[in-house]
Structures are given as structure tokens and as C-alpha cells.
């Protein structure tokens, strides 16, 4: 299989996790050829969108892929159905695969024209959630809709460590809290419950609870410590006895943000809100506590703090082990590649060092 990856990157190599996964599959012989074309980076370098589209088309034609795998397209790099049909009509006749991890809504953060166009022309699309998100993709014209878990990359998260017996915080939350139209009480879906969860934890834990995050919604909250760099969140999580989150877009079935796998991988217990379908996807994971109200987050936090240090660390170890086996990026992306092999080409994915398409 000749694999042409189109990552959404502001800087070449930003998509550390998927690049890790695809390079590993190439080394193992699952791909006979592999390249990445960073479309936003090239558009910026060329300074002209028309030239960028032509270069993408010519780059794909020269590489002759079987699969073009595009990640999170948007109107930052406009593509219409006509261009996508040209892309699929190059001599190698590639299959177009979309992976869209982001959440969308009918009123807030609606799908733009480019993602709708890619959905309509995709041979298979993987979404980070189901439910109404799958309905939106179907309405856009997606032919095959599949679900893919969010993942974490083991280069930055879940690295080996010796669990400590003292921590700076009892619980932390890593989460932004944007407000719509800059109105303090008008939150993105799920935002109000996120704030109520944080306030409830602060009421009981005081300065042993902290939030790392930005945006207007946290303004004036005494427990908020401000933003944290993406690659520093693992260190912050490991300095607390548990991580807690209430996800935005909490009505999307099976959806999580990437903070879910990152939190589990860091090796401390994790509390998160329930979303439809979690009982099918995330049932009985040691160290994961799924709650249905902000108040329940407080109850579970108090329960975890009632355990011994050894018991807490054991729960964290089991959570990290689950994440390593099921949510690490090379595992998640290899599964998507296997599904693409089976459902678009009618064959099982080749094993490492085996034959490739």
C-alpha cells in the first residue's frame, strides 16, 4: 500500500503521533511507500492557494498513492468537490480517507464547506464520535462512516516513571473554558458542567485542587493557574492524585478529547463525564471513573482520597497499562489502517515485513 498522508500542521512535524504511527507501519512493511505532505505549511511557503492546490495535486500524482489520508481539513485550506475529484482521478486512482477527530455542533462550531466537501468525497471517514456527529457526516454525503478512538503519543506522554508518594495537588483539571461571543456565562456545550465540576472540587479540596487552562470562562476563579503547554500536561498530571475533566460537546456519543487517553497514560486515576456509548467502549477500565454529574465528581474524588497511596498508585498503573495496550497512537492508527485494508481493498492488512499493496 502506497500511503500519502496530508497532516494538518502549522509547522512541519507538528503531528507527532500520526507520523510516529505511519513511519512505524512503513518500517514494518505494512506500507510499501509512505510520504507526508504538510498542506498548510506548503500553502504558507508558496503564498498562493491556487499554487498550493496545484502542488498538492502534482505531488500526489508523482507519488502514485493507493490511499490519501487527510486529517482535519478546514477553510484554512479550501478544497471543493471538483478539486477532490481531480485528486482521486490521478492515474493511481487513490482512495480518499478522512480522519476527523474534532467535535462539531449544529449551532456552535458548525462544519465548514471544506470538511463537508471532503466528507462527501471520502471513500471512508473515521470520526472521533458517533451519534449526531455521524448524522452530520451522513448528511454531508459520507459513504462509509467509522469510529476511531482518540490516542496519545508515547514520545511525550506515558513515559516511564517511578510513582511518587507525595503530590502537590489532590486533583487537577487541564481544560480551557471558552465563552461564546465573549459573554462570561455563555459557554461551549459542556462548559457550564465543566465549571461547576471545578467549583465543586475547589469547595471540598481548596488549594489542593487546581485547573490549568485559559479563556474567559476561568477569569476570576481562584483555583485556575493559567495555561499550560501541551507537552507539559503529563508532568502536571503526575503531580496530583487524580485528574478530572468534564468534556466539551458532552452530547456526542462515544466522543472524548485527547485529554482522555493522555490522562490515563500518565498513570493516575482519571475522572471524566459520561457520554452516550461509553458503556460499550470504556467499560470496566481500572482507574477510570465515569460520572454523570458535577457533584458525582466530588464524591468520586473523596473516595479516591480515602484509598491508601499504594492503592491509588495501583489504580494509576492499571489505567496506564490499559492506555498502552489500547489508546497509544501506533495501536489506534494501525487499527484504522487494518480497517481500510479490509473495507476498501477487500483484504487483511499485511503483517510486518509482509506483502504490501
Amino acid at each position: 500500500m502506497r500511503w500519502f498522508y496530508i497532516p494538518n500542521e502549522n509547522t512541519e512535524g507538528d503531528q507527532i503521533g500520526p507520523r510516529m504511527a505511519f513511519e512505524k507501519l512503513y518500517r514494518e512493511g505494512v506500507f510499501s511507500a509512505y510520504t507526508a505532505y504538510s498542506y498548510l505549511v506548503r500553502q504558507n511557503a508558496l503564498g498562493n492557494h491556487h499554487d498550493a492546490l496545484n502542488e498538492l495535486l502534482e505531488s500526489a500524482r508523482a507519488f502514485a498513492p493507493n490511499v490519501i489520508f487527510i486529517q482535519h481539513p478546514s477553510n484554512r485550506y479550501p478544497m471543493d468537490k471538483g478539486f477532490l475529484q481531480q485528486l482521486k482521478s490521478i492515474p493511481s486512482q487513490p482512495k480518499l480517507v478522512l480522519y476527523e477527530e474534532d467535535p462539531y455542533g449544529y449551532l456552535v462550531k458548525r462544519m465548514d464547506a471544506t470538511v463537508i466537501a471532503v466528507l462527501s468525497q471520502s471513500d471512508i471517514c473515521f470520526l472521533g464520535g458517533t451519534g449526531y456527529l455521524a448524522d452530520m457526516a451522513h448528511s454531508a454525503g459520507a459513504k462509509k462512516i467509522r469510529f476511531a478512538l482518540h490516542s496519545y503519543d508515547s514520545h511525550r506522554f506515558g513515559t516511564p516513571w517511578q510513582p511518587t508518594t507525595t503530590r502537590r495537588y489532590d486533583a487537577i483539571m487541564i481544560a480551557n473554558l471558552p465563552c461564546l461571543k465573549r459573554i462570561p456565562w455563555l459557554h461551549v456545550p459542556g462548559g457550564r458542567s465543566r465549571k461547576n465540576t471545578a467549583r465543586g472540587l475547589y469547595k471540598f479540596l481548596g488549594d489542593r485542587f487546581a485547573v490549568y487552562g485559559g479563556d474567559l470562562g476561568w477569569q476570576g476563579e481562584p483555583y485556575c493557574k493559567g495555561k499550560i503547554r501541551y507537552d507539559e500536561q503529563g508532568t502536571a498530571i503526575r503531580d496530583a492524585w487524580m485528574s478530572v475533566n468534564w468534556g466539551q460537546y458532552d452530547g456526542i456519543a462515544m466522543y472524548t478529547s485527547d485529554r482522555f487517553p493522555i490522562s490515563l497514560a500518565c498513570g493516575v486515576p482519571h475522572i471524566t463525564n459520561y457520554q452516550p456509548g461509553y458503556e460499550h467502549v470504556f467499560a470496566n477500565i481500572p482507574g477510570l471513573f465515569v460520572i454523570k454529574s458535577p457533584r458525582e465528581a466530588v464524591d468520586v474524588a473523596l473516595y479516591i482520597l480515602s484509598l491508601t497511596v499504594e492503592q491509588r498508585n495501583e489504580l494509576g498503573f492499571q489505567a496506564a497499562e490499559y492506555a498502552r495496550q489500547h489508546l497509544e497512537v501506533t495501536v489506534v492508527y494501525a487499527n484504522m489502517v487494518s480497517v481500510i485494508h479490509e473495507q476498501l481493498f477487500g483484504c487483511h492488512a499485511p503483517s510486518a515485513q509482509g506483502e504490501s499493496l
Side-chain angles (χ1 to χ4, degrees), residues 7-226:
N8 182 301
E9 299 177 321
N10 292 314
T11 304
E12 190 83 27
D14 275 359
Q15 290 293 340
I16 292 173
R19 285 176 176 267
M20 281 177 56
F22 295 148
E23 288 162 7
K24 181 174 185 286
L25 290 167
Y26 177 53
R27 289 195 306 272
E28 292 175 344
V30 175
F31 299 155
S32 58
Y34 162 69
T35 194
Y37 181 91
S38 190
Y39 62 109
L40 292 174
V41 173
R42 291 303 305 152
Q43 176 179 250
N44 185 58
L46 292 168
N48 182 288
H49 183 62
H50 178 74
D51 291 346
L53 289 175
N54 285 337
E55 184 185 86
L56 171 55
L57 191 62
E58 291 308 311
S59 297
R61 183 178 285 113
F63 185 74
N66 302 110
V67 170
I68 294 176
F69 185 100
I70 188 166
Q71 181 183 32
H72 189 47
S74 75
N75 284 347
R76 291 179 64 197
Y77 190 102
M79 291 179 282
D80 60 19
K81 292 181 181 180
F83 172 77
L84 294 164
Q85 288 164 0
Q86 287 184 67
L87 195 60
K88 294 177 65 176
S89 297
I90 62 176
S92 62
Q93 298 285 293
K95 303 293 187 182
L96 181 63
V97 178
L98 169 65
Y99 183 24
E100 183 51 78
E101 296 175 278
D102 269 26
Y104 292 92
Y106 287 109
L107 298 176
V108 178
K109 195 184 175 184
R110 299 172 64 182
M111 289 182 174
D112 66 28
T114 297
V115 72
I116 289 172
V118 177
L119 281 164
S120 74
Q121 299 304 306
S122 65
D123 292 283
I124 190 169
C125 69
F126 293 88
L127 305 176
T130 56
Y132 79 74
L133 197 61
D135 292 339
M136 295 172 77
H138 184 265
S139 295
K143 302 171 187 67
K144 288 181 182 287
I145 301 168
R146 302 295 183 261
F147 170 71
L149 295 162
H150 261 286
S151 58
Y152 75 95
D153 72 78
S154 52
H155 177 74
R156 292 176 292 183
F157 306 109
T159 53
W161 74 310
Q162 181 60 47
T164 56
T165 57
T166 59
R167 310 275 168 94
R168 181 179 180 184
Y169 295 111
D170 288 333
I172 69 161
M173 177 186 290
I174 299 176
N176 296 322
L177 193 59
C179 297
L180 301 174
K181 300 181 180 178
R182 299 194 61 79
I183 300 174
W185 48 264
L186 190 58
H187 299 291
V188 170
R192 184 174 302 277
S193 291
R194 174 175 285 182
K195 192 167 191 174
N196 287 339
T197 299
R199 284 179 166 175
L201 289 165
Y202 181 66
K203 176 182 176 181
F204 280 85
L205 302 180
D207 61 9
R208 294 287 297 171
F209 170 71
V211 166
Y212 290 100
D215 292 316
L216 182 62
W218 294 131
Q219 187 173 318
E221 298 296 326
Y223 48 78
C224 187
K225 308 302 179 183

Side-chain angles (χ1 to χ4, degrees), residues 157 174 212 226-234 236 259:
F157 306 109
I174 299 176
Y212 290 100
K227 291 184 177 182
I228 189 172
R229 281 178 43 185
Y230 184 84
D231 57 1
E232 291 178 348
Q233 60 186 307
R259 289 199 173 96

